[in-house]
């Protein structure tokens, strides 16, 4: 049950969406941008997060881009996770995003909603954190801006009030050159929030990078951990153990699992991933 009334807007252009946001604010009301609505509506039902108007971004053509253009893979924020999987433009993204929720829910969740989620997991972010060329296209009052994910991401994608995510891009050659593995470990069921999800990319220079969701209250990658994982002269188990001990913050200790259990699962999973990537050479 939705417990409070709110206005629904369905702009067809970026400018219209920004204008509606401004207008609602000027009226002293609280607008929110709306992707699939799964999180917004769940929070509303739980009386968590008051809003007076939702601005549905999915009908703006720029949020629906999905393809390769001038060497870049482009993913609109309004794409549903099932659409990403069906097209499979970037298999690393598919492998990671296709483990979020169940198929029916993935048919509602949008890429933008997952990347901008207020929940800690944001699993679709993991492959993007591992590519140097990941760029976010942002709608701002001054026009559409391209910003590198590295500049924008600090525990979350930091946008100013009123701005929204239009799409993300990654260089096609960089994406293609990565060998990857993406493993989601859950407490018990196949479909659940992650105990830890580990996405690992082996780049064409042989270096290895990993990104984690579920270990902390936000997804992250760590240059120290990546450096240890890339010491390919050393045994996978040794690297995985040292990487797990070198995480930039302690593992969460919550209902999904204790800190010690997360550490154990992470070390075990990293060991297997390293072996798999090296056996595949
Ligand atoms: C049953 C279920 C299981 C789930 N399991 C997982 C899981 O295993 N892993 C995981 O990572 N997540 C999981 N989630 C969380 C889910 O990924 C997020 O709640 C969801 O991604 C939100 O997507 P949405 O399109 O419905 O977003 P919405 O509910 O529409 O929006 C979510 C947030 O993002 C903002 N937003 C949306 N689009 C944009 C945009 N383009 N620009 C700026 N801000 C925007 C909204 O204002 C809101 O704050 C699960 C959710 C459900 C319901």
């Amino acid at each position: 049950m939705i417990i409070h009334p709110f206005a629904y807007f369905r702009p067809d252009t970026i400018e219209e969406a920004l204008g509606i946001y401004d207008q609602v604010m000027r009226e002293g009301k609280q607008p929110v941008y709306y992707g699939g609505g799964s999180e917004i509506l769940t929070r509303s039902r739980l009386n968590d997060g008051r809003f007076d108007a939702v601005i549905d971004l999915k009908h703006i053509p720029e949020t629906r881009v999905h393809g390769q253009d001038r060497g870049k893979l482009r993913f609109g924020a309004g794409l549903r996770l099932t659409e990403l999987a069906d097209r499979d433009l970037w298999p690393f993204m598919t492998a990671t995003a296709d483990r979020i929720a169940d198929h029916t829910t993935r048919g509602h969740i949008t890429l933008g909603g997952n990347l901008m989620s207020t929940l800690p997991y944001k699993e679709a972010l993991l492959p993007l954190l591992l590519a140097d060329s990941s760029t976010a296209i942002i709608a701002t009052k001054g026009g559409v801006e391209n910003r590198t994910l590295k500049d924008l991401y600090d525990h979350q994608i930091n946008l100013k009030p009123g701005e929204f995510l239009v799409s993300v891009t990654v260089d096609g050659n960089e994406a293609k050159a990565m060998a990857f593995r993406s493993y989601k470990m859950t407490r018990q069921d196949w479909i659940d929030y992650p105990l830890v999800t580990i996405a690992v990319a082996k780049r064409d220079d042989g270096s290895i990078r990993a990104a984690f969701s579920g270990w902390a209250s936000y997804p992250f990658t760590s240059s120290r951990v990546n450096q240890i994982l890339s010491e390919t002269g050393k045994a996978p188990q040794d690297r995985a153990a040292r990487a797990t001990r070198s995480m930039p913050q302690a593992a969460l200790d919550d209902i999904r699992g204790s800190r010690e259990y997360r550490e154990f699962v992470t070390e075990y999973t990293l060991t297997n991933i390293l072996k798999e990537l090296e056996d595949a050479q």
Side-chain angles (χ1 to χ4, degrees):
M1 188 186 75
I2 305 293
I3 46 135
H4 72 273
F6 58 86
Y8 172 83
F9 293 95
R10 213 200 87 163
D12 294 315
T13 66
I14 290 174
E15 296 69 27
E16 203 187 332
L18 293 168
I20 294 168
Y21 191 98
D22 249 15
Q23 178 61 34
V24 174
M25 287 293 282
R26 275 201 302 274
E27 290 167 6
K29 296 179 181 156
Q30 185 58 55
V32 286
Y33 288 123
Y34 181 102
S38 62
E39 185 175 320
I40 291 172
L41 299 182
T42 305
R43 288 180 57 199
S44 164
R45 285 188 197 102
L46 298 172
N47 208 8
D48 169 23
R50 171 89 200 179
F51 53 86
D52 305 298
V54 301
I55 306 170
D56 189 346
L57 302 170
K58 291 190 300 293
H59 304 276
I60 300 172
E62 290 89 334
T63 70
R64 299 281 310 153
V65 295
H66 196 187
Q68 185 154 8
D69 174 33
R70 280 165 285 160
K72 286 183 180 170
L73 308 185
R74 297 180 185 272
F75 302 95
L79 296 173
R80 300 172 195 282
L81 299 185
T82 43
E83 293 179 292
L84 293 181
D86 291 347
R87 181 95 183 254
D88 198 19
L89 196 59
W90 187 15
F92 193 10
M93 173 62 85
T94 305
T96 311
D98 214 34
R99 284 295 321 273
I100 294 170
D102 58 280
H103 189 266
T104 307
T105 310
R106 286 196 300 278
H108 294 284
I109 293 175
T110 59
L111 177 62
N114 186 254
L115 299 179
M116 298 305 297
S117 167
T118 56
L119 300 175
Y121 307 108
K122 305 179 186 70
E123 288 177 84
L125 190 59
L126 299 183
L128 293 166
L129 287 178
L130 298 179
D132 289 330
S133 58
S134 295
T135 302
I137 318 303
I138 308 296
T140 78
K141 277 187 189 167
V144 170
E145 291 180 10
N146 290 13
R147 299 194 204 141
T148 65
L149 200 65
K150 281 195 173 63
D151 287 344
L152 214 52
Y153 186 73
D154 181 16
H155 299 187
Q156 59 182 11
I157 294 182
N158 287 301
L159 303 186
K160 298 199 184 96
E163 294 181 346
F164 66 86
L165 184 66
V166 177
S167 60
V168 290
T169 70
V170 64
D171 180 82
N173 289 332
E174 185 182 18
K176 212 163 129 190
M178 286 180 186
F180 67 87
R181 290 290 185 280
S182 183
Y183 285 141
K184 176 169 186 163
M185 310 305 285
T186 56
R187 193 173 70 148
Q188 194 171 354
D189 298 323
W190 176 256
I191 295 165
D192 195 359
Y193 291 109
L195 182 64
V196 62
T197 295
I198 308 180
V200 178
K202 183 159 190 273
R203 301 172 62 84
D204 52 3
D205 64 0
S207 64
I208 292 175
R209 296 179 184 178
F212 303 86
S213 164
W215 173 281
S217 55
Y218 51 88
F220 65 91
T221 181
S222 148
S223 50
R224 173 80 189 118
V225 167
N226 294 342
Q227 189 193 345
I228 293 168
L229 295 176
S230 300
E231 293 170 7
T232 46
K234 302 206 166 110
Q237 190 159 6
D238 168 60
R239 280 181 278 154
R242 282 194 297 125
T244 306
R245 286 198 304 273
S246 305
M247 293 290 217
Q249 61 275 304
L252 289 176
D253 196 328
D254 62 14
I255 49 159
R256 292 209 155 70
S258 66
R259 175 163 301 152
E260 293 72 24
Y261 187 52
R262 269 198 175 78
E263 288 169 354
F264 166 76
V265 169
T266 300
E267 181 179 329
Y268 174 83
T269 309
L270 269 176
T271 303
N272 287 339
I273 292 176
L274 292 175
K275 282 183 187 160
E276 281 183 27
L277 282 173
E278 281 158 24
D279 286 352
Q281 277 178 344

